[in-house]
Coordinates of all heavy atoms in Angstrom, one line a residue:
T1 N -6.8 4.8 11.5 CA -7.5 5.3 12.7 C -6.6 5.0 13.9 O -6.1 3.9 14.1 CB -8.9 4.7 12.8 OG1 -9.6 4.9 11.7 CG2 -9.6 5.2 14.1
T2 N -6.5 6.0 14.8 CA -5.8 5.8 16.0 C -6.8 5.6 17.2 O -8.0 5.7 17.0 CB -4.9 7.0 16.4 OG1 -5.8 8.1 16.6 CG2 -4.0 7.3 15.2
E3 N -6.3 5.3 18.4 CA -7.1 5.1 19.5 C -7.9 6.4 19.8 O -9.0 6.4 20.4 CB -6.3 4.7 20.7 CG -5.8 3.3 20.6 CD -5.0 2.9 21.8 OE1 -4.9 3.6 22.8 OE2 -4.3 1.8 21.8
E4 N -7.2 7.5 19.5 CA -7.8 8.8 19.8 C -8.7 9.3 18.7 O -9.4 10.3 18.9 CB -6.7 9.9 20.1 CG -5.8 9.5 21.3 CD -4.7 10.5 21.5 OE1 -4.7 11.5 20.7 OE2 -4.0 10.4 22.4
G5 N -8.7 8.7 17.6 CA -9.6 9.2 16.5 C -9.1 8.9 15.1 O -8.5 7.9 14.9
T6 N -9.2 9.9 14.3 CA -8.9 9.7 12.8 C -7.5 10.0 12.5 O -6.9 10.9 13.1 CB -9.8 10.6 12.0 OG1 -11.2 10.3 12.3 CG2 -9.6 10.5 10.5
L7 N -6.9 9.2 11.6 CA -5.6 9.4 11.1 C -5.7 9.5 9.6 O -6.2 8.5 9.0 CB -4.7 8.3 11.5 CG -3.2 8.4 11.0 CD1 -2.5 9.5 11.7 CD2 -2.5 7.1 11.3
V8 N -5.2 10.5 9.0 CA -5.2 10.7 7.5 C -3.8 10.5 7.0 O -2.9 11.2 7.5 CB -5.8 12.1 7.1 CG1 -5.7 12.3 5.6 CG2 -7.2 12.3 7.6
R9 N -3.6 9.5 6.1 CA -2.3 9.3 5.6 C -2.2 9.9 4.2 O -3.1 9.6 3.3 CB -2.0 7.8 5.5 CG -0.7 7.5 4.8 CD -0.1 6.2 5.3 NE 0.4 6.4 6.6 CZ 0.7 5.5 7.5 NH1 0.5 4.2 7.1 NH2 1.1 5.7 8.7
L10 N -1.2 10.7 3.9 CA -1.0 11.3 2.7 C 0.2 10.7 2.0 O 1.2 10.4 2.6 CB -0.7 12.8 2.8 CG -1.7 13.6 3.7 CD1 -1.1 15.0 4.1 CD2 -3.0 13.8 3.0
S11 N 0.1 10.5 0.7 CA 1.2 9.9 -0.1 C 1.5 10.9 -1.2 O 0.6 11.2 -2.0 CB 0.8 8.5 -0.6 OG 1.8 8.0 -1.4
V12 N 2.8 11.3 -1.3 CA 3.2 12.3 -2.3 C 4.4 11.7 -3.0 O 5.4 11.3 -2.4 CB 3.6 13.6 -1.6 CG1 4.0 14.6 -2.6 CG2 2.4 14.1 -0.8
N13 N 4.4 11.8 -4.3 CA 5.5 11.4 -5.1 C 6.3 12.6 -5.7 O 5.7 13.4 -6.4 CB 5.1 10.5 -6.3 CG 6.3 9.9 -7.0 OD1 7.4 9.7 -6.5 ND2 6.1 9.5 -8.3
M14 N 7.5 12.8 -5.3 CA 8.3 13.9 -5.8 C 9.1 13.5 -7.0 O 9.8 12.5 -6.9 CB 9.2 14.4 -4.6 CG 8.5 14.8 -3.3 SD 7.2 16.0 -3.5 CE 8.1 17.4 -4.0
E15 N 9.0 14.3 -8.0 CA 9.8 14.0 -9.2 C 11.2 14.4 -9.1 O 12.1 13.9 -9.8 CB 9.2 14.7 -10.4 CG 7.8 14.2 -10.8 CD 7.1 15.0 -11.9 OE1 7.8 15.8 -12.6 OE2 6.0 14.7 -12.2
K16 N 11.5 15.3 -8.2 CA 12.9 15.8 -7.9 C 13.0 16.3 -6.5 O 12.0 16.5 -5.9 CB 13.3 16.9 -8.9 CG 12.5 18.1 -8.8 CD 12.9 19.1 -9.9 CE 12.0 20.4 -9.8 NZ 12.3 21.4 -10.7
T17 N 14.2 16.5 -6.0 CA 14.4 17.0 -4.7 C 14.0 18.5 -4.7 O 14.4 19.2 -5.6 CB 15.9 16.9 -4.3 OG1 16.3 15.5 -4.3 CG2 16.2 17.5 -2.9
Q18 N 13.2 18.9 -3.8 CA 12.7 20.3 -3.7 C 12.2 20.6 -2.4 O 11.9 19.8 -1.5 CB 11.7 20.5 -4.8 CG 10.5 19.6 -4.7 CD 9.7 19.6 -6.0 OE1 9.2 20.7 -6.3 NE2 9.5 18.5 -6.7
E19 N 12.0 21.9 -2.1 CA 11.3 22.4 -0.9 C 9.8 22.2 -1.0 O 9.2 22.3 -2.1 CB 11.6 23.9 -0.8 CG 13.1 24.3 -0.5 CD 13.6 23.7 0.8 OE1 12.9 23.8 1.8 OE2 14.7 23.0 0.7
V20 N 9.3 21.8 0.1 CA 7.9 21.4 0.2 C 7.2 22.1 1.4 O 7.8 22.1 2.5 CB 7.7 19.9 0.3 CG1 6.3 19.5 0.4 CG2 8.3 19.2 -0.9
Q21 N 6.0 22.5 1.2 CA 5.2 23.1 2.3 C 3.8 22.4 2.3 O 3.2 22.5 1.2 CB 5.1 24.6 2.3 CG 4.3 25.1 3.4 CD 4.3 26.7 3.4 OE1 5.1 27.3 2.8 NE2 3.2 27.2 4.0
I22 N 3.4 21.8 3.3 CA 2.1 21.1 3.4 C 1.3 21.6 4.5 O 1.8 21.6 5.7 CB 2.3 19.5 3.5 CG1 3.2 19.0 2.3 CG2 0.9 18.8 3.5 CD1 3.5 17.6 2.4
E23 N 0.1 22.0 4.2 CA -0.8 22.6 5.2 C -2.2 22.0 5.1 O -2.6 21.5 4.0 CB -1.0 24.1 5.1 CG 0.3 24.9 5.2 CD 0.1 26.4 5.0 OE1 -0.7 26.7 4.2 OE2 0.7 27.1 5.8
V24 N -3.0 22.0 6.2 CA -4.4 21.6 6.2 C -5.2 22.9 6.4 O -4.9 23.6 7.4 CB -4.7 20.6 7.3 CG1 -6.2 20.2 7.3 CG2 -3.8 19.3 7.1
L25 N -6.1 23.1 5.5 CA -7.0 24.3 5.6 C -8.4 23.9 5.9 O -8.9 22.9 5.4 CB -6.9 25.1 4.3 CG -5.6 25.5 3.8 CD1 -5.7 26.2 2.4 CD2 -4.8 26.4 4.7
D26 N -9.2 24.8 6.6 CA -10.6 24.5 6.8 C -11.4 25.1 5.7 O -10.8 25.6 4.7 CB -11.1 25.1 8.2 CG -11.0 26.6 8.3 OD1 -10.8 27.3 7.3 OD2 -11.1 27.1 9.4
S27 N -12.7 25.0 5.7 CA -13.5 25.4 4.6 C -13.5 26.9 4.4 O -13.8 27.4 3.3 CB -15.0 25.0 4.9 OG -15.5 25.5 6.1
A28 N -13.0 27.7 5.4 CA -12.9 29.1 5.2 C -11.5 29.5 4.6 O -11.2 30.7 4.4 CB -13.1 29.8 6.5
G29 N -10.6 28.5 4.5 CA -9.3 28.8 3.9 C -8.3 29.1 5.0 O -7.1 29.5 4.7
T30 N -8.6 28.9 6.3 CA -7.8 29.2 7.4 C -6.9 28.0 7.7 O -7.4 26.9 7.7 CB -8.6 29.5 8.7 OG1 -9.4 30.6 8.4 CG2 -7.7 29.9 9.8
T31 N -5.6 28.2 7.9 CA -4.7 27.1 8.2 C -5.1 26.5 9.6 O -5.1 27.2 10.6 CB -3.2 27.6 8.3 OG1 -2.9 28.2 7.0 CG2 -2.3 26.5 8.6
V32 N -5.3 25.2 9.5 CA -5.6 24.4 10.7 C -4.4 23.8 11.3 O -4.1 23.8 12.5 CB -6.7 23.3 10.4 CG1 -6.9 22.4 11.6 CG2 -8.0 23.9 9.9
R33 N -3.5 23.3 10.4 CA -2.3 22.6 10.8 C -1.2 22.7 9.7 O -1.5 22.6 8.5 CB -2.6 21.1 11.0 CG -1.5 20.2 11.4 CD -1.3 20.3 12.9 NE -0.2 19.4 13.4 CZ -0.4 18.2 13.9 NH1 -1.6 17.7 14.0 NH2 0.6 17.5 14.3
N34 N 0.0 23.1 10.2 CA 1.1 23.1 9.3 C 1.8 21.7 9.5 O 2.3 21.4 10.5 CB 2.1 24.1 9.8 CG 1.6 25.5 9.6 OD1 1.1 25.9 8.5 ND2 1.6 26.3 10.7
L35 N 1.6 20.9 8.4 CA 2.1 19.5 8.5 C 3.6 19.3 8.3 O 4.3 18.5 8.9 CB 1.3 18.6 7.6 CG -0.1 18.3 7.9 CD1 -0.8 17.4 6.9 CD2 -0.2 17.6 9.3
Y36 N 4.1 20.1 7.3 CA 5.5 19.9 7.0 C 6.0 21.1 6.2 O 5.3 21.7 5.4 CB 5.7 18.7 6.1 CG 7.1 18.4 5.8 CD1 8.0 17.7 6.7 CD2 7.7 18.8 4.6 CE1 9.3 17.5 6.4 CE2 9.0 18.6 4.3 CZ 9.8 17.9 5.2 OH 11.1 17.7 4.9
Q37 N 7.3 21.5 6.5 CA 8.0 22.5 5.7 C 9.5 22.1 5.7 O 10.1 22.0 6.8 CB 7.8 23.9 6.3 CG 8.4 24.9 5.4 CD 8.0 26.4 5.8 OE1 7.1 26.6 6.6 NE2 8.5 27.3 5.1
G38 N 10.0 21.9 4.5 CA 11.4 21.5 4.4 C 11.7 20.9 3.1 O 10.9 21.1 2.1
S39 N 12.8 20.2 2.9 CA 13.2 19.6 1.7 C 12.9 18.1 1.6 O 13.1 17.4 2.6 CB 14.7 19.8 1.5 OG 15.1 19.3 0.3
W40 N 12.3 17.7 0.5 CA 12.1 16.3 0.3 C 12.9 15.8 -0.9 O 13.0 16.5 -1.9 CB 10.6 16.0 0.0 CG 9.8 15.7 1.2 CD1 10.3 15.5 2.5 CD2 8.4 15.5 1.3 NE1 9.3 15.2 3.4 CE2 8.1 15.2 2.6 CE3 7.4 15.5 0.4 CZ2 6.8 15.0 3.1 CZ3 6.1 15.3 0.8 CH2 5.8 15.0 2.1
N41 N 13.5 14.7 -0.8 CA 14.2 14.1 -2.0 C 13.2 13.5 -3.0 O 12.1 13.3 -2.7 CB 15.2 13.0 -1.5 CG 16.3 13.5 -0.6 OD1 16.8 14.6 -0.8 ND2 16.7 12.7 0.4
Q42 N 13.8 13.2 -4.1 CA 13.0 12.5 -5.2 C 12.4 11.2 -4.6 O 13.1 10.5 -3.9 CB 13.8 12.3 -6.4 CG 13.1 11.6 -7.5 CD 14.0 11.3 -8.7 OE1 15.2 11.5 -8.7 NE2 13.4 10.7 -9.7
G43 N 11.2 10.9 -5.0 CA 10.6 9.6 -4.6 C 9.3 9.7 -3.8 O 8.7 10.8 -3.7
E44 N 8.9 8.6 -3.3 CA 7.6 8.6 -2.6 C 7.7 8.9 -1.1 O 8.7 8.5 -0.5 CB 7.0 7.1 -2.7 CG 5.6 7.0 -2.2 CD 4.6 7.4 -3.1 OE1 4.9 7.6 -4.3 OE2 3.5 7.7 -2.7
H45 N 6.8 9.8 -0.6 CA 6.9 10.2 0.8 C 5.5 10.0 1.4 O 4.5 10.2 0.7 CB 7.3 11.7 0.9 CG 8.6 11.9 0.4 ND1 9.7 11.9 1.2 CD2 9.1 12.2 -0.9 CE1 10.8 12.2 0.5 NE2 10.4 12.4 -0.8
T46 N 5.4 9.6 2.6 CA 4.1 9.6 3.3 C 4.1 10.5 4.5 O 5.2 10.7 5.1 CB 3.7 8.1 3.7 OG1 4.8 7.6 4.6 CG2 3.5 7.2 2.5
L47 N 3.0 11.0 4.8 CA 2.9 11.9 6.0 C 1.5 11.7 6.6 O 0.5 11.5 5.9 CB 3.0 13.4 5.4 CG 3.0 14.5 6.4 CD1 4.3 14.4 7.2 CD2 3.0 15.8 5.7
D48 N 1.4 11.7 7.9 CA 0.1 11.5 8.6 C -0.4 12.7 9.2 O 0.4 13.5 9.8 CB 0.3 10.4 9.7 CG 0.6 9.0 9.1 OD1 0.2 8.8 8.0 OD2 1.3 8.2 9.8
W49 N -1.7 12.9 9.2 CA -2.3 14.0 9.9 C -3.2 13.3 11.0 O -4.1 12.5 10.6 CB -3.1 14.9 9.0 CG -3.9 16.0 9.8 CD1 -3.5 16.7 10.8 CD2 -5.2 16.4 9.5 NE1 -4.4 17.6 11.3 CE2 -5.5 17.4 10.5 CE3 -6.2 16.1 8.6 CZ2 -6.7 18.1 10.5 CZ3 -7.4 16.8 8.6 CH2 -7.7 17.7 9.6
D50 N -3.0 13.6 12.2 CA -3.8 13.0 13.3 C -5.1 13.7 13.6 O -5.8 13.3 14.5 CB -2.9 13.0 14.6 CG -2.5 14.4 15.0 OD1 -2.9 15.4 14.4 OD2 -1.7 14.4 16.0
G51 N -5.5 14.6 12.7 CA -6.8 15.2 12.9 C -6.8 16.4 13.9 O -7.8 16.9 14.3
K52 N -5.6 16.8 14.3 CA -5.5 17.9 15.3 C -5.0 19.1 14.6 O -4.3 19.1 13.6 CB -4.5 17.4 16.4 CG -5.1 16.2 17.2 CD -4.2 15.9 18.3 CE -4.8 14.7 19.0 NZ -4.0 14.3 20.2
D53 N -5.2 20.3 15.3 CA -4.8 21.6 14.8 C -3.4 21.9 15.3 O -2.8 21.0 16.0 CB -5.8 22.6 15.1 CG -6.0 22.9 16.6 OD1 -5.1 22.4 17.4 OD2 -7.0 23.5 17.0
N54 N -2.9 23.1 15.0 CA -1.6 23.5 15.5 C -1.4 23.5 17.0 O -0.3 23.5 17.5 CB -1.2 24.8 14.8 CG -0.7 24.7 13.4 OD1 -0.2 23.6 13.0 ND2 -0.9 25.7 12.6
R55 N -2.5 23.6 17.7 CA -2.5 23.7 19.2 C -2.6 22.3 19.8 O -2.6 22.2 21.0 CB -3.6 24.6 19.7 CG -3.5 26.0 19.2 CD -4.7 26.9 19.6 NE -5.8 26.3 18.8 CZ -7.1 26.6 19.0 NH1 -7.5 27.4 20.0 NH2 -8.1 26.0 18.3
G56 N -2.8 21.3 19.0 CA -2.9 19.9 19.5 C -4.3 19.5 19.9 O -4.5 18.5 20.5
L57 N -5.3 20.4 19.5 CA -6.7 20.1 19.7 C -7.3 19.4 18.5 O -6.9 19.6 17.4 CB -7.5 21.4 20.0 CG -6.9 22.2 21.2 CD1 -7.7 23.5 21.3 CD2 -7.0 21.4 22.5
S58 N -8.2 18.5 18.8 CA -8.9 17.8 17.7 C -9.7 18.7 16.8 O -10.5 19.5 17.4 CB -9.8 16.7 18.2 OG -9.1 15.7 18.9
A59 N -9.5 18.7 15.5 CA -10.3 19.5 14.6 C -11.7 18.9 14.5 O -11.9 17.7 14.6 CB -9.6 19.5 13.2
P60 N -12.7 19.8 14.4 CA -14.1 19.3 14.3 C -14.3 18.6 13.0 O -13.6 18.8 12.0 CB -14.9 20.6 14.4 CG -14.0 21.7 14.0 CD -12.6 21.3 14.3
P61 N -15.3 17.7 13.0 CA -15.6 16.9 11.8 C -15.9 17.9 10.7 O -16.5 19.0 10.9 CB -16.8 16.1 12.2 CG -16.8 16.0 13.7 CD -16.2 17.3 14.1
G62 N -15.6 17.6 9.5 CA -15.9 18.4 8.3 C -14.9 18.1 7.2 O -14.1 17.2 7.2
T63 N -15.0 18.9 6.1 CA -14.1 18.8 5.0 C -13.0 19.8 5.1 O -13.2 20.9 5.4 CB -14.9 19.1 3.7 OG1 -16.0 18.1 3.6 CG2 -14.1 18.9 2.4
Y64 N -11.8 19.2 4.8 CA -10.6 20.0 4.9 C -9.8 19.9 3.6 O -10.0 18.9 2.9 CB -9.7 19.5 6.1 CG -10.3 19.8 7.4 CD1 -11.2 18.9 8.0 CD2 -10.0 21.0 8.1 CE1 -11.8 19.2 9.2 CE2 -10.6 21.2 9.3 CZ -11.5 20.3 9.9 OH -12.1 20.6 11.1
L65 N -9.0 20.9 3.3 CA -8.2 20.9 2.1 C -6.7 20.8 2.5 O -6.2 21.6 3.3 CB -8.4 22.2 1.4 CG -7.9 22.3 -0.1 CD1 -8.7 21.3 -0.9 CD2 -8.1 23.7 -0.6
V66 N -6.1 19.8 2.0 CA -4.7 19.6 2.2 C -3.9 20.2 1.0 O -4.2 19.8 -0.1 CB -4.3 18.1 2.3 CG1 -2.8 17.9 2.5 CG2 -5.0 17.5 3.5
T67 N -3.1 21.2 1.2 CA -2.4 21.8 0.1 C -0.9 21.5 0.2 O -0.3 21.5 1.3 CB -2.6 23.4 0.2 OG1 -2.0 23.9 1.4 CG2 -4.0 23.8 0.1
I68 N -0.3 21.3 -1.0 CA 1.1 21.0 -1.1 C 1.7 22.0 -2.0 O 1.3 22.1 -3.2 CB 1.3 19.5 -1.7 CG1 0.6 18.5 -0.8 CG2 2.8 19.3 -1.8 CD1 0.6 17.1 -1.4
L69 N 2.6 22.8 -1.5 CA 3.3 23.8 -2.3 C 4.7 23.3 -2.6 O 5.4 23.1 -1.6 CB 3.3 25.2 -1.6 CG 4.1 26.3 -2.2 CD1 3.4 26.6 -3.6 CD2 4.1 27.5 -1.3
S70 N 5.0 23.1 -3.8 CA 6.4 22.7 -4.2 C 6.6 23.2 -5.6 O 5.7 23.2 -6.5 CB 6.5 21.2 -4.1 OG 5.7 20.6 -5.0
D71 N 7.9 23.6 -5.9 CA 8.3 24.0 -7.2 C 7.4 25.1 -7.8 O 7.2 25.1 -9.0 CB 8.3 22.7 -8.1 CG 9.3 22.9 -9.3 OD1 10.2 23.7 -9.2 OD2 9.1 22.2 -10.3
G72 N 7.0 26.0 -6.9 CA 6.1 27.1 -7.3 C 4.7 26.7 -7.7 O 4.0 27.6 -8.2
K73 N 4.3 25.5 -7.5 CA 3.0 25.0 -7.8 C 2.3 24.6 -6.5 O 2.9 24.1 -5.6 CB 3.0 23.9 -8.8 CG 3.7 24.2 -10.1 CD 3.8 23.0 -10.9 CE 4.7 23.3 -12.2 NZ 5.0 22.0 -12.9
T74 N 0.9 24.8 -6.5 CA 0.1 24.3 -5.4 C -0.8 23.2 -5.9 O -1.5 23.4 -6.9 CB -0.7 25.4 -4.8 OG1 0.2 26.5 -4.4 CG2 -1.5 25.0 -3.6
Q75 N -0.8 22.1 -5.2 CA -1.7 21.0 -5.5 C -2.5 20.8 -4.2 O -2.1 21.1 -3.1 CB -1.0 19.7 -5.8 CG -0.1 19.8 -7.0 CD 0.6 18.5 -7.3 OE1 0.4 17.5 -6.6 NE2 1.5 18.5 -8.2
S76 N -3.8 20.4 -4.4 CA -4.6 20.2 -3.2 C -5.5 19.0 -3.3 O -5.8 18.6 -4.5 CB -5.4 21.5 -2.9 OG -6.3 21.8 -4.0
A77 N -6.0 18.5 -2.2 CA -7.0 17.4 -2.2 C -7.8 17.6 -0.9 O -7.4 18.1 0.1 CB -6.2 16.1 -2.1
S78 N -9.1 17.3 -1.1 CA -10.0 17.5 0.1 C -10.1 16.1 0.8 O -10.0 15.1 0.2 CB -11.4 17.9 -0.4 OG -12.0 17.0 -1.2
V79 N -10.2 16.3 2.1 CA -10.4 15.1 3.0 C -11.5 15.4 3.9 O -11.8 16.5 4.4 CB -9.1 14.8 3.8 CG1 -7.9 14.4 2.9 CG2 -8.7 15.9 4.7
N80 N -12.3 14.3 4.2 CA -13.4 14.4 5.1 C -13.0 13.8 6.5 O -12.6 12.7 6.5 CB -14.6 13.7 4.6 CG -15.2 14.4 3.4 OD1 -15.4 15.6 3.4 ND2 -15.5 13.6 2.4
L81 N -13.1 14.6 7.5 CA -12.7 14.2 8.8 C -14.0 13.9 9.6 O -14.9 14.7 9.7 CB -12.0 15.3 9.5 CG -11.3 15.0 10.8 CD1 -10.2 14.0 10.6 CD2 -10.7 16.3 11.5
H82 N -14.1 12.7 10.1 CA -15.3 12.2 10.8 C -15.0 12.2 12.3 O -13.9 12.0 12.7 CB -15.7 10.8 10.3 CG -16.0 10.8 8.8 ND1 -17.2 11.2 8.3 CD2 -15.3 10.3 7.8 CE1 -17.1 11.1 7.0 NE2 -16.0 10.5 6.6
S83 N -16.0 12.3 13.0 CA -15.9 12.2 14.5 C -15.5 10.8 14.9 O -15.9 9.8 14.2 CB -17.1 12.7 15.2 OG -18.2 11.8 14.9
A84 N -14.8 10.6 16.0 CA -14.4 9.3 16.4 C -15.6 8.6 16.9 O -16.5 9.2 17.6 CB -13.4 9.4 17.5
Q85 N -15.7 7.3 16.6 CA -16.9 6.5 17.0 C -16.6 5.9 18.4 O -15.7 5.3 18.6 CB -17.2 5.4 16.0 CG -17.5 6.0 14.6 CD -18.9 6.7 14.6 OE1 -19.8 6.3 15.3 NE2 -19.0 7.8 13.9

């Protein structure tokens, strides 16, 4: 958690060097944030989402889908974003 709100930390283990695209989608499947697009080497990588959309505005509380496209495969995980207390 940051002073401004929620911070989601993603951990991804790459079996080989490859191109990666990571996005956050809302419940309607619309892209909220493009987190990363580029090449990652083999090994463990971490990436943070600050709970903001592509315009820098805080995303509303709810369930979001983080999708990772690499090596022609898509993996996803849901995350719950809570309002800052």
Side-chain angles (χ1 to χ4, degrees):
T1 303
T2 65
E3 291 179 9
E4 297 178 1
T6 301
L7 178 69
V8 177
R9 174 151 291 160
L10 309 167
S11 181
V12 181
N13 187 26
M14 304 303 294
E15 294 179 8
K16 62 182 180 179
T17 299
Q18 56 193 301
E19 294 297 312
V20 177
Q21 180 176 335
I22 302 175
E23 297 179 323
V24 178
L25 309 175
D26 64 15
S27 59
T30 304
T31 300
V32 172
R33 180 82 177 262
N34 296 307
L35 288 179
Y36 183 81
Q37 185 168 356
S39 181
W40 269 355
N41 293 326
Q42 178 182 5
E44 188 79 18
H45 298 268
T46 56
L47 186 67
D48 294 333
W49 177 40
D50 58 6
K52 295 183 180 179
D53 63 16
N54 281 332
R55 298 172 294 167
L57 303 174
S58 293
T63 302
Y64 293 85
L65 194 64
V66 178
T67 63
I68 302 169
L69 175 62
S70 64
D71 203 23
K73 300 174 188 168
T74 301
Q75 297 178 9
S76 60
S78 63
V79 295
N80 292 314
L81 190 63
H82 302 281
S83 61
Q85 297 290 325

